[in-house]
Amino acid sequence: RFDLTDPQTIAAAAQRASDVTLLINNASTAMFAPPLDADRNAVEAEMATNYLGTYDTTLAFVPALERNGGGAIVNVLSLLALASTPPMAGYSASKAALHSMTQALRPVLRERGIAVHGAYPAGIDTNMLAGIDAPKTPAAEVAAGVLDGLEAGDEDIFPDPNAKQMSALWQSDPKGFER
């Protein structure tokens, strides 16, 4: 059992995986609510899982990564970390906070021999997006894209075709991407 909102299960997982050299933070939750209609408790749950849970997991695993001579951390974010969409305001905010934390961790952990990567997929065909009419990439394809980006040494990984296309727009026209 691994619950991102339970520090005890996070600590137990870090203890069990004492030989870790790669940590992929991939858990997420979304409540699908616009900013003015979102239930505050739902937004707190998104922040607790998507941001704080990932942050706590990272803190728990850094000592093992260091003991093992370094390694890498991949935070699976979302294109919505870079620009929000009204129906997913809390989710987007939690992923934007994690995007910022990913950037803050990079120079600190680099000094400890740990590379920090952000993965920014578009829609992934998982239970979270079941019933949502949007382009989705199979999870296995996204996972392969994350590993390819990791192997290439990309700090920012856009692991699927939709993400690659949207990243070009984000890089060339951030406000266009936001719209």
Side-chain angles (χ1 to χ4, degrees):
R1 183 171 178 269
F2 191 115
D3 181 344
L4 284 175
T5 62
D6 180 0
Q8 291 178 330
T9 65
I10 293 170
Q15 234 177 4
R16 282 191 310 273
S18 61
D19 61 344
V20 67
T21 57
L22 172 61
L23 172 65
I24 299 178
N25 290 310
N26 185 44
S28 190
T29 189
M31 303 301 176
F32 298 96
L36 299 178
D37 300 326
D39 176 76
R40 189 175 190 288
N41 292 330
V43 173
E44 281 184 16
E46 290 169 314
M47 291 300 283
T49 298
N50 302 344
Y51 174 69
L52 293 173
T54 301
Y55 178 63
D56 291 343
T57 299
T58 299
L59 293 179
F61 276 83
V62 163
L65 286 162
E66 282 186 291
R67 278 193 310 274
N68 294 319
I73 297 171
V74 178
N75 291 330
V76 179
L77 301 159
S78 166
L79 285 176
L80 296 179
L82 306 174
S84 189
T85 183
M88 296 183 76
Y91 175 85
S92 298
S94 68
K95 292 296 188 168
L98 187 55
H99 165 75
S100 182
M101 181 56 66
T102 299
Q103 293 174 317
L105 287 169
R106 280 183 180 142
V108 173
L109 293 180
R110 184 179 302 121
E111 293 176 2
R112 298 176 183 205
I114 302 168
V116 179
H117 306 264
Y120 301 84
I124 305 172
D125 194 8
T126 63
N127 290 343
M128 190 171 88
L129 291 182
I132 303 294
D133 184 24
K136 296 175 222 169
T137 303
E141 187 177 330
V142 174
V146 168
L147 294 176
D148 289 345
L150 183 63
E151 186 176 352
D154 297 338
E155 283 189 338
D156 299 320
I157 301 168
F158 297 92
D160 60 88
N162 292 328
K164 284 179 175 51
Q165 179 183 2
M166 294 304 292
S167 74
L169 177 59
W170 171 65
Q171 291 171 354
S172 67
D173 183 9
K175 282 302 194 181
F177 178 77
E178 182 182 329
R179 284 189 293 282

